[in-house]
Amino acid sequence: MQQTAMVLAEETPEDWWEVEALYDLCFAPGRSALSSYRLRDGVDPISALCLTARDPEGILAGAVRNWPVSIGSAEAVLLGPIAVHPTRQGEGLAALLMWECLSKARQAGWQRIILVGDAPYYGRFGFTKLNGVTMPPPTNPDRVLGLALAAGAWTGITGQVTRIR
């Protein structure tokens, strides 16, 4: 694994188009048709949890965005999308962005985080399959993962994940 100094920073409005271009490069063209995007429509991301990773020359290497969602009366962070430029993959940037997001979310007082992803990958960060929590269809329920940022934060939390109103 190549080690390069990265500068992590909160995403700014000036970063927006560059981050969108990175997401277009890293994900399928129809990424905005995914059900998780319906939870983001008309909702501002959690700016303190939207991060960029740039190399010393200022070139965008990775980014992550996070959104508020509800599960019943409980609020949670919807993590993602997270992406690393193909030329920078294998350097640990996704993990760096993930650990920073988790740290910042705890510091901000968030109790729980949810994402849709591969359990073997996200398990190393502490995410586990959520039973009784459903994302909008057609999301595979085995890919709905959660992490408690505070003890017992997922206890008793069930239901449909919805947009924050």
Side-chain angles (χ1 to χ4, degrees), residues 93-115:
L93 292 177
L96 179 68
L97 287 163
M98 176 65 77
W99 288 121
E100 188 68 12
C101 277
L102 298 179
S103 174
K104 287 184 173 291
R106 275 188 188 94
Q107 291 170 10
W110 287 94
Q111 300 289 304
R112 62 196 64 80
I113 295 186
I114 187 171
L115 60 79

Side-chain angles (χ1 to χ4, degrees), residues 135-158:
M135 290 285 287
T139 305
N140 177 345
D142 290 334
R143 294 176 49 83
V144 179
L145 310 176
L147 173 68
L149 297 175
W154 282 106
T155 302
I157 306 295
T158 60

Side-chain angles (χ1 to χ4, degrees), residues 8-85:
L8 296 184
E10 190 175 309
E11 181 182 336
T12 67
E14 293 76 29
D15 296 323
W16 193 85
W17 284 109
E18 194 174 6
V19 171
E20 283 295 307
L22 176 65
Y23 290 153
D24 286 344
L25 177 66
C26 293
F27 299 113
R31 69 179 169 92
S32 63
L34 296 172
S35 58
S36 58
Y37 276 79
R38 300 299 67 80
L39 299 170
R40 300 173 181 133
D41 287 344
V43 178
D44 290 333
I46 305 165
S47 59
L49 302 181
C50 296
L51 306 174
T52 60
R54 293 184 180 276
D55 69 14
E57 287 78 39
I59 297 170
L60 184 67
V64 62
R65 288 183 178 150
N66 291 271
W67 308 81
V69 293
S70 293
I71 304 116
S73 62
E75 290 187 355
V77 173
L78 174 63
L79 193 143
I82 187 168
V84 173
H85 193 280

